[in-house]
Amino acid sequence: MASNPLHLGVALDGAGWHPAAWREPNSRPTELFGPRYWTDLVATAERALLDFVSIEDSLRIPGERHASSDDVVDRVRARIDAHLIAARVAPVTRHIGLIPTVTTTHTEPFHVSKSIATLDYTSRGRAGWQARVSATAEEAAHFGRRAVRDLTPAEIAEAVASGAFPRHVHDLFDEAADAVEVVRRLWDSWEDDAEIRDVATRRFIDRDKLHYIDFEGRFFSVRGPSITPRPPQGQPVVAALAHSPLVYEFAARAADLVFVTPTREAGPGPVLEQVAAAAARVERIGDSLRVYADITVFLDTDEEAGAQRLARLNGVAGTEFDTDAAIFAGSADELADLLADWSEQGVDGFRLRPGVAVDDLAAVADRLIPALQSRGVFRTGYPDGPLRALLGLPTDVPNRYATA
């Protein structure tokens, strides 16, 4: 195997990332909200020896970005909870990482820390968390505790053109960074050997090894400690999806992985430069931020070429497929070439978005992975260890509150 093998994960979102995916013959639309569908998808991803599955979630009805919910009924218009999906598949998998999306904007960090720590226990050290901001008035209205202003078309255009956002968007990401910091401190609020479980002395814990975190910030005041012991990984993996310098800065402040969306035309170089600049601006210390490129894939099958599949799906949907990530439609060998090229340009890993979840994830397992293995750039079995080890992150994570 190559000295620098590829890191590869997959992003699961309902029936797939194409809005017409649920109408495909293999897509099992009647099972989208049942456990078997999700355990089957993750089992396929684990059969492919992938590093992780991330599971999409939000507090709004799935639909077009930067658009309010509407009366469209020809696409999947519902979600089930990503964290609970991960909790369901954890006991029936052994190696693959599980990274659910959990919002920071309307969710208390104490709850998030407890949930992800519990997932790390039930998965035996394979938990992660994709932190997401909920930036719409529609999402805020579900809770009624705060107002969030939608961006105007002019503000969206300015953000796309220059990366400049209004002050309230900066506040949302400052809040998100504080939320992640609180979660990380709560994970450390128990030392690794705080549990004694000594029946003879009637001591379950060593109280001196539980710590108040006493976090005071603009958005949160959290005393701690957690009520859940420190997770098996110490610090489960934190990820973020980012498209602009503001969000690259958030990822550099708070995350271990950042999912980015370079274009096929420009390649990953410009994005890698922006991520590095963002890390320098926030003076990131410690381990480097790992950059994973998102690619939406429509792979060749026995029945149909990937490009033909995409064209047919567009015809079914009645509109051209548009997404934030690069779109690949072609053979497994062609995708392997693209991954190798971008890896040589400095990308740390890839997160594939299956256009049709069942079909394209199967094609990843049965076509892409053998193509990569034949080139000696992808593993033929899982190594031992937690998700952090699988991703090449430090596994001996110091506890900030531990006493000598």
Side-chain angles (χ1 to χ4, degrees):
M1 180 177 289
S3 59
N4 186 28
L6 288 179
H7 285 285
L8 198 61
V10 67
L12 301 180
D13 188 11
W17 287 81
H18 196 287
W22 68 278
R23 299 165 73 175
E24 290 293 273
N26 297 327
S27 285
R28 303 162 60 182
T30 61
E31 301 178 54
L32 288 179
F33 307 129
R36 179 63 64 84
Y37 173 79
W38 291 96
T39 55
D40 286 351
L41 285 182
V42 178
T44 301
E46 188 166 60
R47 176 168 64 84
L49 305 176
L50 301 183
D51 290 5
F52 62 84
V53 294
S54 63
I55 305 168
E56 291 300 299
D57 205 353
S58 69
L59 299 175
R60 67 191 300 268
I61 296 172
E64 299 296 332
R65 293 179 297 136
H66 308 307
S68 61
S69 296
D70 48 36
D71 296 326
V72 172
V73 295
D74 65 349
R75 61 184 62 189
V76 176
R77 304 292 280 169
R79 290 191 184 279
I80 56 177
D81 186 88
H83 173 261
L84 294 179
I85 293 171
R88 174 63 184 85
V89 302
V92 296
T93 53
R94 296 183 58 194
H95 302 287
I96 195 164
L98 305 171
I99 306 180
T101 301
V102 181
T103 185
T104 60
T105 311
H106 303 289
T107 309
E108 293 297 329
F110 187 89
H111 294 152
V112 177
S113 77
K114 184 170 177 284
S115 297
I116 302 300
T118 301
L119 179 62
D120 208 39
Y121 275 103
T122 58
S123 66
R124 300 173 299 280
R126 293 181 286 123
W129 167 33
Q130 182 175 330
R132 177 171 183 164
V133 163
S134 299
T136 68
E138 179 184 6
E139 292 165 294
H142 293 321
F143 300 89
R145 293 198 297 263
R146 62 193 292 184
V148 175
R149 179 176 69 80
D150 286 332
L151 295 179
T152 67
E155 288 171 332
I156 293 172
E158 175 66 19
V160 171
S162 67
F165 288 91
R167 180 67 254 171
H168 79 278
V169 177
H170 285 260
D171 287 343
L172 288 173
F173 283 99
D174 286 344
E175 177 188 49
D178 277 5
V180 176
E181 177 65 16
V182 171
V183 169
R184 287 191 180 279
R185 292 191 188 194
L186 287 168
W187 287 336
D188 276 349
S189 63
W190 287 56
E191 295 186 36
D192 289 327
D193 56 352
E195 299 168 77
I196 301 172
R197 302 190 184 99
D198 190 330
V199 175
T201 63
R202 297 184 295 179
R203 296 176 71 212
F204 186 82
I205 60 171
D206 180 346
R207 187 60 187 81
D208 291 336
K209 295 189 176 183
L210 270 63
H211 302 278
Y212 297 115
I213 70 169
D214 290 327
F215 182 91
E216 295 286 346
R218 286 178 60 198
F219 308 98
F220 304 104
S221 176
V222 180
R223 188 183 189 209
S226 177
I227 61 172
T228 305
R230 194 174 193 234
Q233 292 185 96
Q235 291 283 318
V237 176
V238 178
L241 171 64
H243 306 91
S244 68
L246 171 63
V247 197
Y248 300 148
E249 289 180 8
F250 161 66
R253 292 164 64 185
D256 303 297
L257 312 180
V258 59
F259 304 131
V260 299
T261 54
T263 65
R264 294 284 299 278
E265 296 74 24
V271 171
L272 291 171
E273 291 176 1
Q274 291 184 58
V275 172
R281 285 194 299 273
V282 302
E283 299 179 337
R284 180 183 175 96
I285 58 175
D287 200 50
S288 62
L289 180 63
R290 308 301 170 87
V291 183
Y292 279 57
D294 276 15
I295 304 174
T296 306
V297 297
F298 300 84
L299 287 168
D300 292 355
T301 66
D302 289 337
E303 296 77 23
E304 206 172 10
Q308 294 172 322
R309 294 178 57 227
L310 175 56
R312 182 176 52 76
L313 285 162
N314 288 344
V316 171
T319 184
E320 194 80 10
F321 178 56
D322 180 37
T323 183
D324 53 326
I327 299 173
F328 174 87
S331 72
D333 282 325
E334 290 168 333
L335 180 55
D337 289 339
L338 176 64
L339 300 183
D341 179 33
W342 282 15
S343 180
E344 290 174 359
Q345 294 184 51
V347 173
D348 295 304
F350 300 90
R351 187 174 70 152
L352 304 181
R353 302 179 182 183
V356 178
V358 173
D359 293 337
D360 285 297
L361 187 53
V364 167
D366 298 331
R367 295 170 181 263
L368 175 64
I369 297 305
L372 294 172
Q373 289 169 335
S374 69
R375 299 167 187 229
V377 296
F378 198 74
R379 69 175 73 91
T380 56
Y382 278 110
D384 292 331
L387 177 58
R388 293 186 66 91
L390 191 59
L391 298 177
L393 296 167
T395 55
D396 186 14
V397 186
N399 186 321
R400 73 193 71 195
Y401 300 113
T403 55

